[in-house]
Amino acid sequence: MCGPSTSRRSRHRQEAEAEFDYARTAESRAERLLNDRALAEQEFQRARADRVAAEEALAAARAEVRRTEQDLQHYGLTPGPDADPRENEHVPVRAPFAGAVIERLVSPGEAVTLGAPLLVVSDLSRVWITAEVPEADLHRLSAPEPVEFSVTAWPDEVFAATLTAIGDVINPATRRVTIRAEADNADGRLKPEMFANLTVASGTPRDLLLVPAAAVQELAGESVVFVETGPGEFRRRRVVTGATFDADIEIREGLAAGELVAVEGAFLLKSALIGLPEEE
């Protein structure tokens, strides 16, 4: 622990200071005896070597104490010169801001090293909501602008937020871009990792053609649906998809309102595609 460690290093420094004082006094006495021809030169050189060694040990002890004090100051702690390990075993470590502990990385009694992470603290008074939108809808977005969202924990309530960031990179697999909104969370009801439905009211209203998301299959890098042409007969058709709404997906091109598509069996049709003709 930091407190006992400082105390031990302080005592080590005090012992090194006492040894240096003794070695310096012994060197002075040996020098006087040498001048009076009462001591051999070899004995005087031994006393001088002992003084040099004690001086180096003292310098090392002082440097160790300074390093420990700097480590404590890094954590906002003031070292005490007379700290008792039996009374100062626990040293408080304070976070730089108020927040909630969302992850604990150590357990009571576990040994830690300097700089090791202990806890993850997050300020949840404001939260981020991230979502993905199709690249075709980017021209409808601007930041900042007001948006709304809902969460499953409070399905009848709509929360207000502000769209603050629009991603710079398109996901090549989904052709979507990530956006981020920020919302107040003073009451703490919004939790990390909640699922949310984000609504961006932008542009003029328009009619949408929606199908269940399970009806759309990816085939050879294209989105396809299987259109019913007769009882038990289906043909695949390429479509252009748009926004996703819960379990539904928008069809921008390739399908007309009123046409029937396979939903639950769409994946099976895709798997048995050999021999299934493509609609002209």
Side-chain angles (χ1 to χ4, degrees):
M1 301 296 290
C2 293
S5 176
T6 304
S7 179
R8 287 193 297 268
R9 286 175 171 80
S10 296
R11 287 196 298 272
H12 178 62
R13 181 188 60 186
Q14 293 171 358
E15 293 172 357
E17 290 174 345
E19 292 176 0
F20 173 70
D21 290 340
Y22 176 81
R24 184 172 54 184
T25 301
E27 181 190 20
S28 298
R29 183 171 61 251
E31 185 176 12
R32 289 195 302 270
L33 292 174
L34 178 65
N35 293 334
D36 293 339
R37 299 181 182 277
L39 188 70
E41 176 70 23
Q42 183 178 2
E43 295 297 327
F44 169 71
Q45 293 299 334
R46 182 180 296 112
R48 171 165 290 181
D50 290 343
R51 191 267 304 167
V52 172
E55 186 174 11
E56 292 176 349
L58 176 59
R62 286 173 173 171
E64 192 68 24
V65 170
R66 285 195 299 271
R67 183 162 54 250
T68 303
E69 290 175 345
Q70 290 172 354
D71 292 340
L72 291 176
Q73 292 170 358
H74 175 73
Y75 291 102
L77 303 174
T78 302
D82 300 324
D84 187 346
R86 295 167 298 181
E87 297 179 358
N88 300 278
E89 182 178 0
H90 297 92
V91 177
V93 178
R94 295 180 175 85
F97 57 85
V101 176
I102 60 175
E103 186 176 5
R104 190 181 71 179
L105 305 176
V106 294
S107 300
E110 182 178 348
V112 297
T113 58
L114 182 65
L118 307 179
L119 304 168
V120 177
V121 181
S122 180
D123 181 5
L124 299 180
S125 60
R126 289 187 63 81
V127 294
W128 288 359
I129 304 96
T130 59
E132 290 188 341
V133 298
E135 61 176 312
D137 290 331
L138 284 179
H139 69 283
R140 303 176 182 274
L141 303 178
S142 61
E145 71 171 303
V147 295
E148 296 178 340
F149 68 96
S150 61
V151 294
T152 55
W154 289 276
D156 298 329
E157 185 169 356
V158 176
F159 297 86
T162 301
L163 180 63
T164 56
I166 301 173
D168 297 321
V169 179
I170 300 290
N171 186 325
T174 62
R175 309 309 306 171
R176 297 172 185 273
V177 64
T178 300
I179 63 174
R180 186 182 74 225
E182 296 185 16
D184 289 327
N185 188 35
D187 55 9
R189 289 190 296 167
L190 302 174
K191 310 298 183 183
E193 306 304 330
M194 274 185 168
F195 285 105
N197 292 319
L198 187 67
T199 302
V200 181
S202 180
T204 57
R206 59 187 179 91
D207 293 330
L208 299 179
L209 177 60
L210 302 178
V211 299
V216 181
Q217 300 292 317
E218 294 296 323
L219 186 64
E222 297 179 329
S223 297
V224 300
V225 296
F226 296 94
V227 182
E228 184 179 28
T229 58
E233 297 181 357
F234 295 87
R235 291 181 181 271
R236 74 177 186 270
R237 185 184 299 175
R238 291 188 296 269
V239 294
V240 177
T241 60
T244 299
F245 304 90
D246 294 333
D248 296 329
I249 188 169
E250 177 189 6
I251 302 298
R252 293 183 180 273
E253 297 178 10
L255 192 66
E259 290 186 292
L260 299 180
V261 296
V263 179
E264 295 181 358
F267 181 76
L268 296 177
L269 289 173
K270 173 185 174 181
S271 302
L273 189 58
I274 298 177
L276 186 64
E278 181 177 358
E279 190 174 66
E280 298 296 338

